[in-house]
Amino acid sequence: MPSVRRLSHEFLERQGLTTFFGNPGSNELPFLADLPDGFRYVLGLHEGAVLGMADGYAQATGRPALVNLHAASGSGNAMGALTNAVASRTPLVIVAGQQVRSAVGPEANLASVDAPALMKPLVGWAAEPACAQDVPRALAQAVFEARLQQRPTYLSVPYDDWDAEAGANALPVLDRRVQRASAPSAEQGRLLAERVASARRPALVLGGDIDTAGLFDDAVRLAERLGGPVWAAPSLFRLPFPNRHPLFRGVLPAGIAPVSRAFEGHDLVLVLGAPVFRYHEHLPGPYLPEGTRLVQVTEDASAAARAPMGEALVADPGAVIDLLLKTLDSPSGPVGAYRPAPEPPTAEGPRLHPEEVFAALRDEMPEDTAYVVESTSTNSAWWRQMDLRRPGSYYFPAAGGLGFGLPGAVGVALAQPDRPVVGVIGDGSANYGVTALWTAAQHRVPVTFVLLRNGTYGALRWFGGLLGVPDAPGLDIPGLDFTRIAEGYGVPARQVTGAGELRAALAERTDHPRLLQVDTELTTPA
Ligand code: TZD
Ligand code: CA
């Protein structure tokens, strides 16, 4: 009879889960013993960075990723990053080490007291198996729950379990397959198609899930068939639609009143692959204008249930797009040409305007570049300049928790070695996941970090104005030099001055990580 460890490794191998992102402690070592050939362990130096890298990797591969964390202290360190993975619906399987069974009750050092409870508000499923023989089945459940719920899961395993004998009834788990199908019924499909076909002025709102599910190009086909405006859902974490497409109206502002204003004059708003809605700024008002009906299609049952208005259909947005493409008539005319970006403003003195930086990225980087963005005050500058036409072009921390950007870029680049990857990172944001620079250097991940240094928490200055708090302390961050920080972690770095120098640097292709620090002028997010 194989050991629990042997059987668990075999199960992970059969599921294609052979890349670990982790940071080990004593409790984890027995799980990591005798790893079969073909397993890869990506070491992160802080658990927040571990989780951010795994999140980027899982999103870019479209498959679950395996995370190995230390007990309460390690898992706790990962928790901020976990908020993003929950909001982006990233299937992460987190396996954490626990003290030996007999030492948990007496609370020996590094015992995690009630380990599942620690993670439960965030993960979709958390458990510590009741006995060693249940570990392989519980691990399988962690993998299947993550896939079915599209949410991180958490399994805490006492470390003496791994050497135990698995037991004969543990073997069938190796051959399990668990799948989901979620097309609407014929009747649901007919009603939805009728409603869309009979709308006078339909509008489309697309969420990050559209890109995650590989529906970017299908969404374009649907929009062109409908011929109406397309918005991206508020608090966007993946781009679901080409941002310079003639039908694209931009990312909806993350406030109740402005969203409602955007929908004025539309009798139907069809929301695909998004919660309704992830507002941020509290700008109260009616949820919808008078006479506007909202229909949400999402695979996320909780997002359907918790929406404060509208109708919802819990179904695969891809199946619904297919169905609408089959039933809707062709549009009456062409939709028009892609809109060119405006000339970027130039800044006074040695600093660059963020729009100059983004115009340089747009012009100098290949069209299929994937951008992982964590720069908060430059949001509107970003969308004014960028021209993103490919699936998987844009990633942003989905819950707004900083610490995703820098590690996430490493994870995306590890997942897609042939695709150029740029991390656009603020001088505030960089600090929350900065240790991922070391992992990038060790694995020679060819990612370019463009570090925007404006010396402040720019977005919070803007929020200070919005909230009537002009004098809050703790918003400036002078004295940071990321060229020296990056060099210390093993990533070649330099200060870049002027748009010409930036363009020339970006045009150089490299096969290793690098960091370009650019001093930028302060702008506002909206
Ligand atoms: N801590 C964490 C983990 N997440 C957060 N979102 C914040 C703090 C609060 N916060 C924001 O929401 S934006 C921001 C902070 C600190 C400033 C980020 O500074 P930056 O970007 O330099 O990266 P800008 O462009 O200067 O705003
Ligand atoms: Ca900043």
Side-chain angles (χ1 to χ4, degrees), residues 374-377 400-402 426-429 432 454 456-460:
E374 196 169 271
S375 166
T376 46
S377 67
L402 303 179
D427 54 351
S429 296
Y432 301 85
N454 59 10
T456 186
Y457 289 152
L460 299 188

Side-chain angles (χ1 to χ4, degrees), residues 357-446:
V357 178
F358 304 148
L361 286 170
R362 182 200 63 220
D363 294 343
E364 305 300 335
M365 293 304 297
E367 232 188 67
D368 66 336
T369 301
Y371 294 94
V372 184
V373 180
E374 196 169 271
S375 166
T376 46
S377 67
T378 55
N379 186 49
S380 64
W382 172 262
W383 293 118
R384 255 200 303 280
Q385 289 302 326
M386 296 310 287
D387 184 349
L388 305 178
R389 302 187 185 197
R390 305 278 186 101
S393 288
Y394 176 76
Y395 301 80
F396 188 88
L402 303 179
F404 167 79
L406 202 153
V410 178
V412 169
L414 278 168
Q416 301 181 325
D418 299 326
R419 193 170 176 172
V421 178
V422 174
V424 178
I425 314 290
D427 54 351
S429 296
N431 301 289
Y432 301 85
V434 74
T435 59
L437 286 168
W438 178 84
T439 309
Q442 293 298 314
H443 289 261
R444 263 186 96 79
V445 180

Side-chain angles (χ1 to χ4, degrees), residues 247-290:
L247 293 174
F248 194 59
R249 297 288 175 274
V251 183
L252 281 170
I256 294 170
V259 164
S260 179
R261 271 199 298 278
F263 294 158
E264 298 254 350
H266 291 284
D267 52 341
L268 177 71
V269 175
L270 179 61
V271 183
L272 300 179
V276 171
F277 288 111
R278 278 186 79 88
Y279 301 111
H280 183 180
E281 300 94 56
H282 184 59
L283 301 168
Y287 282 118
L288 291 171
E290 194 118 352

Side-chain angles (χ1 to χ4, degrees), residues 75-131:
S75 300
N77 275 350
M79 212 106 98
L82 196 55
T83 62
N84 292 318
V86 172
S88 55
R89 308 189 67 228
T90 308
L92 298 179
V93 180
I94 305 169
V95 181
Q98 171 66 294
Q99 257 289 8
V100 295
R101 283 188 179 270
S102 60
V104 179
E107 298 187 16
N109 219 6
L110 304 179
S112 187
V113 179
D114 203 351
L118 179 70
M119 312 302 280
K120 263 207 175 125
L122 292 176
V123 297
W125 177 88
E128 189 169 282
C131 64

Side-chain angles (χ1 to χ4, degrees), residues 1-4 7 11 131-138 140 165-176:
M1 204 37 61
S3 66
V4 166
L7 203 67
F11 172 77
C131 64
Q133 283 65 39
D134 194 38
V135 168
R137 188 211 58 79
E165 238 185 52
N169 272 347
L171 287 174
V173 83
L174 289 177
D175 298 317
R176 295 207 65 219

